[in-house]
Structures are given as structure tokens and as C-alpha cells.
Amino acid sequence: MKFIAAFAFALGTALSCGPALSQPTGGFYLFKHKDNGKVVCFQHIINSDWERLSGPFRDAECKTEQKPKPARNDLPANPLDLAPRK
């Protein structure tokens, strides 16, 4: 009976977490084939016949650029910078 309960729990966890874990991470890049010039959008380089053109992009169609987050200006100053210097 314990085995069935443990199996049901593991199966439920795998089914509920599977879609979240399968989401792509990282940016997408435009790659161009060196021989025929075909341009595609992938996350990782396929093989040495492809060269990266541009990126990273947020979407799988390589239309929305992924820009770095700006530095935060709302943080308090570093206490070591505020201490009087001798």
C-alpha cells in the first residue's frame, strides 16, 4: 500500500511540475548556415556549420530583443562610502 501511495505522489508531482520544467531558459539567437545561407532562430548552436548572427532574443521567432535589466538606483548607499575618510 505504501508503494502505491508513493508512486501516486511521484506521478502527480511529475505531471504537475513537468510543463514548468520543460520551458526554455536563456535567450534565442539567429544562426546562419555557412553553405546555403539559411537563417534560423535557436537557443543553442546546432553544429559547426552554423554561425551566430545576432541575439539574444526573448521569443522563439527572434523578434523581441532581450535587453539586460538596468542597474537599480533605489538602493541605499554603501555605508563604507559614507564613512569619513582620513
Side-chain angles (χ1 to χ4, degrees):
M1 185 68 180
K2 290 182 182 180
F3 175 75
I4 294 172
F7 179 73
F9 177 75
L11 183 63
T13 304
L15 290 176
S16 64
C17 295
L21 296 175
S22 67
Q23 296 297 320
T25 58
F28 292 88
Y29 298 90
L30 275 177
F31 291 100
K32 181 179 180 181
H33 196 271
K34 293 178 182 176
D35 296 336
N36 60 14
K38 182 178 179 180
V39 177
V40 294
C41 183
F42 283 115
Q43 280 189 306
H44 305 286
I45 191 162
I46 302 155
N47 57 26
S48 61
D49 294 339
W50 296 84
E51 59 184 13
R52 185 169 25 181
L53 291 179
S54 61
F57 295 93
R58 288 185 190 202
D59 57 340
E61 290 84 28
C62 290
K63 294 183 180 180
T64 308
E65 286 191 41
Q66 183 176 351
K67 298 177 182 172
K69 294 181 181 180
R72 292 184 57 183
N73 295 329
D74 60 337
L75 296 175
N78 185 352
L80 298 176
D81 294 337
L82 299 176
R85 295 191 178 141
K86 295 180 180 179

